[in-house]
Each structure stands twice: as structure tokens, then as C-alpha cells.
């Protein structure tokens, strides 16, 4: 009978130790959870800061491209107008050539 009580006490002791370990793990988990939460909040804040930095850089790049496009457009536009005139004159001459070729003599 004593042997049975001894085994029961041993089992109770082991269960108590397991319960203590579980409580300790829960406490450590809560503490670690706070650390993890703080780390996540820190990362979120860094990402928000980087977002505003990236938005500013994107705006700078867009402004630079627009300025360069406008500068080149100003350089090329006179040449395009001149080419357009030559193209229209070419069509006019082609039309006259067809008229002369197929027209009444």
C-alpha cells in the first residue's frame, strides 16, 4: 500500500513540476511576446519612414524625367515641324506626279 502511495506522490510531484514548467513557459512567452511586439512595431515604423522616403525619391525621379522630356521636346519640336512640312510637300509632289502620269494629255 505504501508503494502505491509512493507512486501516487511521485506522479503528483511530476505533475506539479510539469505545471510549474508550463506556468514558467507561459510567463516567458508573454515576456517574449512583448519583445516581439515591440520589434514588429519598430519594423512597421521603419517601413513607414522608408515609404515616405521612397515616395519623395519617386517624385524627384518623375520631376527629373518630365523636365528632361520637356527640354528634349523643345529641341526636337522645330525639327518635327520642318519634317512635317517636307512630308506634306512630298505628298503634294507625289499627287502631282500621279496626276501627270494618269491625267489627260
Amino acid at each position: 500500500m505504501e508503494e502505491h502511495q509512493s507512486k501516487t506522490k511521485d506522479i503528483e510531484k511530476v505533475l506539479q513540476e510539469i505545471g510549474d514548467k508550463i506556468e514558467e513557459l507561459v510567463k516567458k512567452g508573454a515576456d517574449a511576446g512583448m519583445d516581439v511586439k515591440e520589434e514588429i512595431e519598430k519594423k512597421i515604423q521603419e517601413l513607414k519612414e522608408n515609404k515616405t522616403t521612397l515616395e519623395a525619391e519617386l517624385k524627384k525621379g518623375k520631376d527629373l524625367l518630365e523636365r528632361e522630356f520637356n527640354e528634349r521636346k523643345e529641341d526636337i519640336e522645330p525639327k518635327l515641324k520642318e519634317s512635317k512640312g517636307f512630308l506634306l510637300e512630298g505628298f503634294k509632289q507625289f499627287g502631282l506626279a500621279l496626276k501627270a502620269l494618269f491625267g489627260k494629255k
Side-chain angles (χ1 to χ4, degrees):
M1 186 85 159
E2 275 185 43
E3 212 174 293
H4 181 58
Q5 260 184 345
S6 177
K7 287 182 182 180
T8 305
K9 287 190 183 221
D10 287 343
I11 291 172
E12 287 176 357
K13 183 179 176 184
V14 169
L15 290 174
Q16 183 62 40
E17 288 175 5
I18 291 172
D20 292 343
K21 293 289 184 183
I22 289 172
E23 286 180 28
E24 184 180 332
L25 287 173
V26 167
K27 186 177 178 182
K28 285 182 180 180
D31 292 342
M34 289 299 291
D35 291 342
V36 170
K37 182 179 177 183
E38 289 173 6
E39 196 66 31
I40 289 172
E41 288 175 358
K42 182 179 175 184
K43 289 291 183 187
I44 289 171
Q45 186 62 32
E46 288 176 7
L47 290 171
K48 285 181 181 178
E49 290 171 3
N50 286 340
K51 178 187 173 199
T52 55
T53 303
L54 290 173
E55 286 174 344
E57 290 295 321
L58 182 62
K59 185 175 181 340
K60 283 182 192 176
K62 182 181 175 185
D63 292 343
L64 179 67
L65 285 173
E66 284 179 1
R67 188 172 54 245
E68 189 171 327
F69 172 76
N70 289 332
E71 287 173 3
R72 291 189 183 234
K73 181 181 174 186
E74 290 172 6
D75 291 342
I76 295 174
E77 197 165 335
K79 293 177 183 176
L80 287 175
K81 286 182 181 179
E82 184 179 357
S83 297
K84 180 181 174 184
F86 290 144
L87 186 63
L88 290 175
E89 183 62 30
F91 280 130
K92 182 179 174 184
Q93 292 298 322
F94 186 69
L96 290 174
L98 289 176
K99 187 176 180 181
L101 185 63
F102 297 111
K104 293 184 181 180
K105 292 186 179 183

